[in-house]
Amino acid sequence: MPAEITTLLTFFGGTGDLAKRKLYPSTYNLFKKGFLQEHFAVIGTARQELTTEEFHEMVRESIADFVEDQANAEEFISHFYYIQQDITDANGYAAMLDLNNELDAKYSLKGNRIFYMSVAPRFFGTVAKYLKSEGLITENGEYNRLMIEKPFGTSFGTAEALQNELSEAFEDAQIFRIDHYLGKEMVQNIAAVRFGNPLFDAAWNKDYIENIQVTLSEVLGVEERAGYYDTAGALRDMIQNHTMQIVGWLAMEKPASFKDVDIRAAKNAAFNSLKIYNREEVAENFVRGQYGESADGTQKKYLDEMDVPADSQNNTFVAGKLQFEMDRWEGVPFYIRSGKRLAAKSTRVDVVFKKGLNIFGGDVELANPVLTILIDPKGGIEFKINAKDVTSEFLTRVVNLNWTVSDEDKKLTPEPYERMIHDAMDGNGSNFADWNGVAIAWKFVDAIQEAWDATREQFPNYVSGSMGPEASNDLLAKDGNEWVFKG
């Protein structure tokens, strides 16, 4: 049985879609596995009027697909409490404080509190301020922690303002900024593959790696999200957070230990060396795109999507080259791309190693060995290497050593939100973004967006169902490289 975690978990936005789809089932899985036993309680809070019984029924419905023992589920649900609250009104926190103190005594929670903000980002600072001013942050507890959903700002300026608001109530070590990609099993495998195998650990540098590629491609279009997406685009929606956090695991120095403090320090050593481009460098190193119709005409172009302005310059595709000004990565490009209406759904990392010295003669061709970590939709690891062909002549061919996550493994793998909630309860910040990384990612992205805002692009410039504009391929071709994943 795992060690029991003692905590009071409060979900702001407790009647929302995320709470019902992800947060309550994830918390229930932690209960089934024994991380939560007797000494825990959960509060849901929102504007909606609900009785305790109605709230319990909401939780019951949200976990229904995960229940194997109804008595077990009812025991879990009995630890749930609901309070109606206007989170913008300081007076509304008095009743919450009373409930917190009551549950702390009832379940012997030691003053340990986690506040999870599943609300609009504009409320993050307000809630944090009132948690402190109205006395909900305990002085005698083992911990108080704040979990917040993305987006963390919409630019460096807005992110810094939010950080300043939060830091008035919480220390940075208490703030757990969620990027659910960091909770994905195969993203966490990057560290295991890289640092757990001397072969890769020793070769993870400019002497052996030619380039590294990160692809996050989607087949869907903007769907019904134009109101948000047209102000964010692929650059802010996918590059600033998910992509940059994956890059952090790839580019980081080797940490002194696998403790979160050392992991963050190693990542920040890389983030702090990331070259931030001027306007001319953006034009040289980044490509933007916007999808047009599909070749068969069945998919409409972005500009014809509902609620998209007819003259929108929004990017639905981004490809670019990152450069880290550190000895480990001198001269090694990190290529990234993300977009909608592409040929295939895939999140993957391709590490392209340099070709070996050819001692076999003029007729023998060697390929670049490639290590691939498949993140979504199927998890797996592939390693393409040179081997001898079966012919009588001494020729080579590429063979693929591969492993795919089994169905049995999938059943045992925690969902990202389950892992993130558990890590926050455990005080492990390894898989959360810290302020330094967030700030640099925003400065990097802001520089790109400002350069793009100063010019107009002729859109659309790629066909729905392709892998983006041709300029994306040209970006790598300039360096003598090409994308490993063709869609």
Side-chain angles (χ1 to χ4, degrees):
M1 180 70 74
E4 180 182 9
I5 295 171
T6 300
T7 193
L8 171 59
L9 180 58
T10 300
F11 290 112
F12 291 88
T15 60
D17 183 62
L18 180 65
K20 290 184 283 189
R21 285 191 306 107
K22 298 291 186 180
L23 304 183
Y24 298 150
S26 294
T27 308
Y28 180 52
N29 283 337
L30 294 175
F31 178 76
K32 287 199 298 182
K33 293 176 181 179
F35 294 108
L36 300 175
Q37 297 176 30
E38 297 178 10
H39 302 291
F40 82 97
V42 179
I43 296 175
T45 180
R47 285 178 175 268
Q48 186 176 343
E49 284 190 28
L50 286 178
T51 64
T52 298
E53 291 73 20
E54 288 171 333
F55 182 53
H56 281 183
E57 182 58 28
M58 177 185 295
V59 175
R60 190 174 290 114
E61 291 176 1
S62 77
I63 68 172
D65 290 343
F66 304 89
V67 173
E68 298 163 357
D69 180 335
Q70 195 60 47
N72 174 269
E74 293 304 319
E75 171 62 22
F76 170 73
I77 293 168
S78 72
H79 288 253
F80 275 65
Y81 299 81
Y82 183 76
I83 185 167
Q84 182 189 11
Q85 183 183 16
D86 177 359
I87 57 176
T88 65
D89 182 2
N91 295 323
Y93 288 80
M96 175 172 280
L97 176 60
D98 290 342
L99 181 58
N100 273 230
N101 292 336
E102 176 188 331
L103 296 178
D104 193 74
K106 180 176 182 178
Y107 294 102
S108 302
L109 302 179
K110 304 179 181 179
N112 297 341
R113 295 176 182 176
I114 295 177
F115 306 98
Y116 192 119
M117 287 201 270
S118 179
V119 294
R122 66 181 182 276
F123 298 123
F124 291 171
T126 301
V127 173
K129 176 179 70 174
Y130 288 143
L131 288 175
K132 183 174 179 65
S133 67
E134 305 311 307
L136 279 93
I137 299 176
T138 58
E139 299 295 332
N140 62 336
E142 295 174 343
Y143 62 79
N144 281 239
R145 296 174 185 139
L146 184 69
M147 298 182 72
I148 54 178
E149 285 286 338
K150 78 174 187 78
F152 195 89
T154 57
S155 64
F156 172 71
T158 58
E160 185 177 43
L162 174 55
Q163 174 66 16
N164 290 339
E165 285 185 292
L166 298 182
S167 63
E168 291 179 6
F170 293 88
E171 298 177 5
D172 202 56
Q174 295 176 297
I175 302 172
F176 290 70
R177 301 170 192 84
I178 297 169
D179 185 325
H180 71 274
Y181 269 64
L182 291 182
K184 290 180 178 289
E185 180 71 11
M186 293 309 299
V187 171
Q188 300 199 348
N189 253 292
I190 294 172
V193 171
R194 177 180 168 183
F195 301 120
N197 298 283
L199 169 69
F200 296 128
D201 189 16
W204 211 267
N205 55 60
K206 64 185 179 183
D207 296 329
Y208 298 98
I209 292 177
E210 191 163 282
N211 66 80
I212 294 179
Q213 305 175 16
V214 180
T215 296
L216 290 81
S217 63
E218 301 177 84
V219 296
L220 296 177
V222 69
E223 304 303 300
E224 298 175 358
R225 299 176 66 219
Y228 159 75
Y229 193 81
D230 199 66
T231 63
L235 182 65
R236 293 189 178 113
D237 188 48
M238 297 296 286
I239 300 298
Q240 186 276 333
N241 41 71
H242 306 322
T243 307
M244 294 298 289
Q245 291 301 320
I246 292 173
V247 167
W249 278 111
L250 297 166
M252 67 189 285
E253 290 289 358
K254 186 174 183 176
S257 75
F258 210 59
K259 295 179 180 178
D260 58 354
V261 173
D262 290 330
I263 289 172
R264 286 181 166 185
K267 285 184 180 179
N268 284 329
F271 282 134
N272 292 341
S273 73
L274 176 65
K275 180 177 176 61
I276 297 177
Y277 296 133
N278 59 35
R279 189 170 296 181
E280 292 72 26
E281 290 167 334
V282 169
E284 180 71 18
N285 293 292
F286 265 80
V287 169
R288 56 177 163 163
Q290 187 185 98
Y291 63 81
E293 293 182 352
S294 58
D296 61 7
T298 58
Q299 297 292 345
K300 65 179 71 173
K301 63 184 178 182
Y302 177 75
L303 294 176
D304 288 340
E305 298 277 19
M306 184 175 62
D307 297 330
V308 172
D311 60 348
S312 175
Q313 283 282 295
N314 186 37
N315 58 87
T316 64
F317 176 93
V318 175
K321 179 169 75 171
L322 279 60
Q323 300 174 63
F324 291 92
E325 298 178 320
M326 53 196 294
D327 183 66
R328 177 184 293 272
W329 298 120
E330 182 182 358
V332 178
F334 282 64
Y335 300 114
I336 60 175
R337 61 177 169 172
S338 181
K340 291 187 175 296
R341 289 278 183 234
L342 299 182
K345 176 177 175 59
S346 182
T347 301
R348 58 186 284 151
V349 171
D350 294 292
V351 182
V352 182
F353 291 90
K354 294 181 177 180
K355 292 181 180 179
L357 179 64
N358 190 347
I359 64 170
F360 304 118
D363 293 333
V364 176
E365 293 186 7
L366 294 179
N368 293 89
V370 179
L371 171 67
T372 298
I373 298 177
L374 301 168
I375 299 169
D376 278 329
K378 67 172 184 176
I381 300 170
E382 298 177 351
F383 192 22
K384 292 183 173 66
I385 63 172
N386 293 293
K388 183 187 173 300
D389 201 349
V390 295
T391 59
S392 57
E393 301 173 86
F394 194 98
L395 300 175
T396 60
R397 61 176 174 174
V398 174
V399 298
N400 189 18
L401 312 178
N402 67 82
W403 165 79
T404 301
V405 176
S406 68
D407 291 340
E408 183 178 350
D409 281 348
K410 289 178 183 177
K411 292 177 182 177
L412 298 174
T413 301
E415 289 292 324
Y417 277 98
E418 177 188 337
R419 194 190 302 271
M420 305 300 262
I421 292 172
H422 175 261
D423 284 354
M425 290 176 173
D426 209 30
N428 182 357
S430 303
N431 297 304
F432 294 86
D434 74 345
W435 168 238
N436 182 77
V438 169
I440 289 172
W442 271 125
K443 290 177 182 178
F444 182 75
V445 162
D446 282 352
I448 298 167
Q449 189 65 57
E450 288 169 11
W452 286 349
D453 287 344
T455 61
R456 288 190 65 82
E457 186 78 32
Q458 185 63 44
F459 290 135
N461 62 354
Y462 71 95
V463 175
S464 287
S466 69
M467 281 304 292
E470 190 57 35
S472 170
N473 297 323
D474 296 340
L475 179 69
L476 275 67
K478 288 188 297 186
D479 299 332
N481 297 318
E482 63 180 4
W483 292 108
V484 172
F485 180 58
K486 304 293 197 287

